[in-house]
Amino acid sequence: IYLHVPFCVKKCAYCDFVSFPEQSRADAYFQALYKEIAMAAAECGGKKFDTVFFGGGTPSAVPLEFICTAMERIRACFDLEISEATIECNPGTVDMDKLKAYRRAGFNRISIGVQSFDNGLLRSIGRIHSAAQAEEAVKLSRAAGFENISIDLMYGLPGQSEKEYIDSIERGGLLGVDHISAYSLILEEGTPLYGWVKEGRAVMPDDDAVYDMHRAGMARLESLGYKRYEISNYARPGGECLHNLSTWNMAQWVGIGPSAASQFGGFRYRNSPNFSKWKSGVESGKFAREDIVVLDDE
């Protein structure tokens, strides 16, 4: 089960995901989301689910009660045998009380959006946290009882050097995280960063430099004990993300929330990314689905 939480403190300069900085919409959103959870569970006909993933956006940016209630509704509506329940967090939006509450709610894996341990790079892409806050978030997560901690890192950022990227990998390794997702920045049209590059206010590394970062990063990650098990994901033994693996193994999954994708019952589809269209559909008892593909043998 994937549940989308499309709220952030503010939108990062490179982001084109479905997310909003308007926290005032959260209450109306979650009321609709709770209804969609029940609708999706009824459609699944008693199938057993083993992973849950709360992604975003920034799930940790919304009030705690919304997240805990959503997990309660999932437990009440779906037949679960959970081996892994993940929540995505921004280092600038967590503290020990919140992390302990996530553990009590049933989350046993946390994915922390670090992106870089270089403060200059973090500021340049609009992140709300510092490198020190990122380190503290990892330490607090371990102290709160999270058994599997993942961090996201990015390369190919404007002005980023290969050394800066490798330094971030090494700092993650020293913190003892179990999993590192390493993503190459994709410059998406319509984002602030796209405009900055077009105006000459930001300069992207060329393709050769990005490729060199990728190869150097892969080598350093593997030397630190992180095995590459998927395109952008590396894990120490036992740290693989079961939710990620399910998509590669052609398992069935259900996406809840606007833009969330599903692969279920011989079809692949996604919910409308349009907030109003998604919400009005759910409130009328209908799914607002798009890009429906029949999964035949071919």
Side-chain angles (χ1 to χ4, degrees), residues 39-282:
M39 289 166 56
E43 189 180 51
C44 290
K47 295 282 187 182
K48 194 177 291 291
F49 289 81
D50 64 351
T51 69
V52 177
F53 196 109
F54 280 40
T58 309
S60 58
V62 302
L64 182 61
E65 59 266 24
F66 290 135
I67 299 298
C68 293
T69 301
M71 182 61 104
E72 287 171 7
R73 297 295 177 90
I74 286 173
R75 289 184 179 279
C77 294
F78 284 91
D79 186 3
L80 301 178
E81 196 171 279
I82 293 180
S83 54
E84 177 187 276
T86 301
I87 185 164
E88 290 187 336
C89 296
N90 181 297
T93 60
V94 292
D95 55 30
M96 182 58 87
D97 289 342
K98 188 178 283 188
L99 291 166
K100 285 183 175 178
Y102 292 152
R103 285 292 291 121
R104 289 194 297 270
F107 293 99
N108 59 11
R109 183 178 185 274
I110 188 166
S111 178
I112 303 171
V114 173
Q115 315 314 352
S116 174
F117 284 103
D118 183 279
N119 284 323
L121 285 171
L122 290 171
R123 286 191 296 271
S124 73
I125 58 176
R127 299 294 290 175
I128 65 167
H129 64 86
S130 66
Q133 285 176 301
E135 289 194 1
E136 183 68 7
V138 172
K139 293 173 183 176
L140 287 177
S141 297
R142 192 68 79 191
F146 278 94
E147 301 138 26
N148 191 337
I149 299 175
S150 177
I151 62 171
D152 289 352
L153 296 177
M154 297 180 74
Y155 59 96
L157 299 173
Q160 185 182 33
S161 69
E162 184 177 304
K163 182 182 183 304
E164 287 166 336
Y165 174 48
I166 299 301
D167 285 348
S168 287
I169 290 172
E170 291 173 348
R171 287 177 74 171
L174 286 171
L175 286 166
V177 300
D178 308 277
H179 185 283
I180 294 179
S181 296
Y183 300 108
S184 172
L185 173 65
I186 298 173
L187 188 62
E188 300 285 1
E189 193 170 351
T191 61
L193 182 58
Y194 184 88
W196 298 344
V197 171
K198 288 294 183 184
E199 295 164 9
R201 294 166 54 196
V203 179
M204 302 288 290
D206 64 31
D207 288 349
D208 287 342
V210 173
Y211 179 73
D212 288 343
M213 284 187 207
H214 162 66
R215 296 296 297 182
M218 183 165 62
R220 190 69 186 106
L221 282 159
E222 294 191 345
S223 74
L224 292 169
Y226 296 95
K227 181 181 178 182
R228 188 187 191 203
Y229 73 96
E230 192 248 77
I231 290 175
S232 301
N233 288 294
Y234 302 76
R236 285 176 169 165
E240 295 85 359
C241 177
L242 301 181
H243 191 86
N244 286 353
L245 285 172
S246 70
T247 64
W248 292 98
N249 292 333
M250 287 298 288
Q252 297 194 95
W253 74 90
V254 171
I256 300 168
S259 81
S262 299
Q263 179 170 286
F264 193 83
F267 297 90
R268 185 179 292 135
Y269 47 85
R270 68 165 182 160
N271 291 340
S272 172
N274 182 285
F275 183 93
S276 297
K277 186 176 180 180
W278 166 82
K279 184 171 174 287
S280 62
V282 170

